[in-house]
């Protein structure tokens, strides 16, 4: 799809919606184009493309693709960063779990809410027209319906992860039904409603699609595995996990087995321009440059996060690795993580006279650290000035406010500064690198989690070891760029107890997906957010004093508040989440 010329520029622009809930949920652009004008084969295809564009229409404000704010900074993976706590202070309040009054100074989550419902409206508008078109006139009708329902389900799924109780809006609802749709479905009811769309997609999409980026049967199977895994951890009204449903876990395994994919041979391939839509990318937001559109379709969602003082990038030094997360990459003599005591001693916690962060003697690391974190003195994005004067190492001077946030950077979402994927807008950098919503590694670890929970422990551990073996095969890039070879990564024995295997699984998810924006949602799914994050804060605030007043409140902070303006515009129809 990224190579398909988008020919309905005027139509795409027309579908940008206002933030008013009533109009948003019943968007009909008929005053600009009639149904007869739109319902040609070419224009129907254009509406489907517009719906795909909708799930990637975000920027630094109101993110809906990369979840670095909501899933990484909100967890124990990363700090907000930037120029102190007052710089984009709303994210600081997320990090402190201090967003107790809905919409008070919060201009981030309400916009995310609107952006997802814009995407849902695009899918619904296209579905409404395609539903009325015969297959004789539109041979791809069934496939396009399935794609649109997949896209709609994706947006509803993400809204549910963020807000839990959200209105479920479909194209068959009248304007009055949409206006009266509440957000009071039970947890299971809403999961099942979203699953209906994914099931339709699974049953009607082809195994593969000729155009990269279109949803296919494999993507639908992966999303069903993900949804059933979240649904398996049953929550009460105050978000406490009260049961783990074995039937749902079995569905996770069944759907995961129907996903066609493979791990990239090198972990780093997933985060480099030029490897988009590879075997590990099950489904991704598609971005492009020099693509025939009026403005290149690049992503600015991480545009605040470039190394700040390098002179090679731009602004603004946000999304910085936490000391806790860096410590998690230590390994023992057997090459296994220090599951219980990884955070007792800091690594890379001092800067020497040369501006480097030396590693203590005898410490060994999981190689994924050098694909994930910028560390002073170590190659950044597999570059090293020793090898090439145009290359670079990560430098202490790149830290914008080390006195507050330390000096670790983020690497996965960055590209080398000479990448042809860059577009620079003032101090901000956007790239045409895709953002993966689901990697095959995700699917494998969902299956491993379900297997272990169902007491099929050795099968689950075998999958975890597959992920770790790939990590062990991902040393060459950093070593060739000049990183010291201090790597030691091994596999788990298959004789662990269930409790030990679950601990290994959860730790593996953290290492594999560090700073990709999934961590917070994992903790909430497991019912461990309050314990893990308050324990994290208790130690981390002794190293980063800005966290001194942070505290996670169980039964409230697992989800964001329903935006108050959405409650107001519906006359109180939408009900607020507990604790706000």
């Amino acid at each position: 799809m990224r190579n398909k010329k988008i020919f309905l520029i005027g139509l795409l622009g027309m579908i940008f919606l206002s933030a008013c809930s009533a109009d948003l949920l019943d968007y009909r652009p008929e005053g600009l184009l009639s149904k007869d004008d739109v319902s040609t084969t070419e224009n129907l295809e254009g509406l489907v493309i517009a719906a795909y564009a909708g799930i990637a229409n975000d920027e630094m404000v109101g993110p809906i693709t990369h979840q670095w704010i909501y899933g990484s900074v909100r967890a124990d993976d990363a700090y907000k960063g930037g120029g102190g706590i007052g710089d984009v202070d709303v994210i600081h309040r997320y990090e402190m779990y201090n967003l107790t009054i809905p919409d008070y100074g919060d201009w981030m989550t309400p916009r995310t809410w609107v952006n997802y419902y814009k995407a849902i409206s695009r899918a619904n508008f296209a579905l409404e027209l395609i539903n009325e078109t015969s297959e004789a006139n539109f041979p791809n009708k069934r496939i396009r319906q399935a794609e649109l329902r997949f896209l709609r389900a994706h947006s509803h799924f993400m809204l549910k992860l963020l807000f839990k109780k959200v209105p479920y809006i479909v194209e068959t609802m009248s304007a009055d039904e949409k206006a009266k749709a509440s957000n009071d479905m039970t947890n299971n009811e809403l999961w099942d409603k979203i699953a209906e769309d994914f099931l339709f997609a699974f049953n009607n999409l082809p195994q593969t699609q000729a155009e990269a980026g279109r949803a296919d049967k494999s993507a639908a199977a992966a999303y069903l595995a993900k949804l059933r895994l979240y649904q398996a951890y049953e929550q009460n009204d105050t978000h406490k996990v009260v049961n783990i449903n074995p039937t749902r876990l079995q569905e996770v395994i069944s759907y995961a087995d129907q996903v066609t994919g493979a791990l990239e041979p090198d972990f780093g391939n997933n985060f480099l321009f030029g490897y988009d839509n590879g075997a590990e990318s099950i489904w991704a937001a598609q971005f492009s440059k020099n693509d025939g559109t009026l403005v290149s379709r690049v992503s600015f969602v991480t545009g605040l996060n470039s190394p700040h003082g390098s002179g090679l990038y731009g602004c603004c030094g946000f999304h910085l690795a936490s000391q806790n997360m860096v410590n998690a990459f230590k390994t023992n003599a057997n090459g296994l993580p220090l599951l219980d005591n990884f955070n007792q001693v800091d690594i890379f916690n001092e800067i020497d006279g040369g501006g480097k962060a030396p590693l203590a003697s005898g410490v060994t690391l999981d190689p994924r650290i050098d694909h994930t974190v910028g560390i002073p003195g170590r190659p950044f994005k597999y570059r090293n000035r020793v090898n090439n004067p145009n290359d670079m190492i990560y430098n202490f001077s790149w830290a914008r406010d080390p006195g507050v946030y330390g000096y670790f950077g983020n690497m996965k979402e960055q590209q080398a500064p000479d990448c042809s994927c860059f577009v620079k807008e003032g101090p901000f950098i956007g790239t045409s690198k895709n953002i993966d919503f689901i990697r095959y590694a995700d699917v494998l670890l969902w299956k491993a989690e379900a297997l272990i929970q169902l007491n099929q422990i050795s099968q689950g551990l075998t999958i975890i070891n597959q992920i770790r073996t790939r990590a062990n095969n991902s040393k060459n890039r950093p070593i060739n760029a000049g990183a010291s070879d201090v790597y030691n990564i091994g596999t788990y024995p298959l004789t662990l107890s269930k409790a030990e295997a679950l601990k290994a699984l959860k730790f593996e998810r953290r290492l594999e997906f560090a700073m990709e924006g999934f961590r917070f949602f994992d903790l909430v799914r497991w019912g461990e957010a309050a314990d893990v994050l308050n324990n994290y804060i208790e130690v981390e605030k002794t190293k980063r004093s800005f966290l001194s007043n942070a505290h996670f409140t169980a039964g409230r902070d697992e989800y964001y508040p329903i935006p108050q303006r959405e409650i107001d515009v519906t006359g109180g129809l939408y009900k607020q989440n507990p604790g706000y």
Side-chain angles (χ1 to χ4, degrees), residues 226-282:
K226 183 175 186 177
L227 184 147
R228 294 309 191 196
L229 182 62
Y230 274 85
Q231 189 176 15
Y233 291 83
E234 296 173 353
Q235 296 180 355
N236 65 14
D237 290 341
T238 56
H239 321 319
K240 183 179 180 180
V241 175
V242 294
N243 184 52
I244 301 175
N245 188 314
T247 301
R248 295 304 185 197
L249 293 173
Q250 191 58 57
E251 288 184 87
V252 174
I253 297 168
S254 297
Y255 285 119
D257 284 343
Q258 298 192 61
V259 177
T260 302
L263 295 176
E264 287 283 352
D266 189 303
F267 179 68
N269 291 0
N270 292 296
F271 317 107
L272 286 173
F273 181 71
Y275 291 90
D276 288 341
N277 301 316
E280 190 163 344
S281 178
I282 302 302

Side-chain angles (χ1 to χ4, degrees), residues 61 145 149 164 189 197 240 285 310 327 349 456 485 536:
V61 177
Q145 287 173 319
R149 291 185 67 171
K164 190 174 185 178
E189 285 174 337
D197 274 345
K240 183 179 180 180
S310 67
N327 290 344
N349 66 338
Q456 300 173 53
D485 184 0
Y536 156 74

Side-chain angles (χ1 to χ4, degrees), residues 248-550:
R248 295 304 185 197
L249 293 173
Q250 191 58 57
E251 288 184 87
V252 174
I253 297 168
S254 297
Y255 285 119
D257 284 343
Q258 298 192 61
V259 177
T260 302
L263 295 176
E264 287 283 352
D266 189 303
F267 179 68
N269 291 0
N270 292 296
F271 317 107
L272 286 173
F273 181 71
Y275 291 90
D276 288 341
N277 301 316
E280 190 163 344
S281 178
I282 302 302
W283 191 54
Q286 305 289 308
F287 297 100
S288 56
K289 183 181 172 186
N290 301 324
D291 53 11
T293 58
L294 294 179
V295 179
S296 291
R297 185 155 177 80
V298 298
S299 170
F300 279 98
V301 71
T302 58
L304 291 172
N305 302 353
S306 298
H308 184 74
S310 67
L312 299 167
Y313 289 94
C315 191
C316 295
F318 282 72
H319 194 207
L320 304 178
S322 71
Q323 182 69 60
N324 179 287
M325 197 203 72
V326 170
N327 290 344
F329 286 95
K330 284 188 293 189
T331 57
N332 64 20
N334 295 319
L336 295 174
L338 284 64
L339 299 179
D340 295 312
N341 58 0
F342 73 94
N343 203 37
Q344 288 183 355
V345 177
D346 291 342
I347 56 173
F348 298 120
N349 66 338
E350 295 180 354
I351 299 295
D352 65 16
K356 298 180 180 180
L359 182 65
S361 177
V363 174
T364 58
L365 301 173
D366 184 315
R368 285 173 289 191
I369 192 171
D370 282 317
H371 299 273
T372 305
V373 184
I375 300 168
R378 297 185 76 82
F380 188 69
K381 217 62 190 179
Y382 323 118
R383 303 294 187 92
N384 190 322
R385 287 192 184 278
V386 173
N387 301 331
N388 188 321
N390 296 318
D391 289 346
M392 70 265 184
I393 58 172
Y394 195 84
N395 196 290
F396 174 73
S397 65
W398 294 11
R400 184 176 179 187
D401 198 341
V404 176
Y405 296 114
Y407 49 77
F408 299 120
N410 67 74
M411 196 187 305
K412 285 180 175 177
E413 64 213 53
Q414 305 301 325
Q415 300 299 312
D418 57 356
C419 182
S420 63
C421 60
F422 273 139
V423 169
K424 197 166 185 181
E425 187 73 23
F428 309 118
I429 288 175
T431 82
S432 56
K433 172 77 175 73
N434 286 356
I435 294 176
D436 284 313
F437 292 128
I438 299 176
R439 294 200 273 118
Y440 188 61
D442 234 342
V443 179
L444 290 176
L445 289 177
W446 296 331
K447 180 180 177 180
E449 184 173 338
L451 286 166
I452 294 168
Q453 289 285 18
L454 292 171
N455 298 307
Q456 300 173 53
I457 298 166
S458 64
Q459 295 96 313
L461 287 168
T462 297
I463 293 174
I464 295 172
N465 286 342
Q466 184 180 349
I467 300 292
R468 293 186 64 77
T469 298
R470 193 269 295 272
N472 189 49
N473 294 333
S474 303
K475 302 174 180 177
N476 287 342
R477 275 202 180 99
I479 290 173
N480 291 342
S484 54
D485 184 0
V486 290
Y487 306 128
N488 181 26
I489 182 167
T491 55
Y492 288 98
L494 302 184
T495 55
L496 299 184
S497 68
K498 180 177 180 177
E500 291 169 333
L502 282 173
K503 186 179 292 186
L505 177 283
K506 293 170 182 179
F507 212 92
E508 197 63 29
R509 279 200 60 82
R510 188 182 191 193
L511 296 172
E512 177 72 14
F513 298 104
M515 301 186 80
E516 292 182 50
F518 302 134
R519 173 68 170 168
F520 180 78
F521 307 116
D522 283 342
L523 293 173
V524 172
R525 177 174 83 251
W526 297 325
E528 298 177 354
D531 288 343
V532 170
L533 295 178
N534 283 328
N535 288 337
Y536 156 74
I537 291 164
E538 191 64 27
V539 176
E540 204 79 358
K541 70 184 181 182
T542 65
K543 306 164 189 178
R544 306 285 183 257
S545 61
F546 75 90
L547 288 168
S548 58
N549 294 319

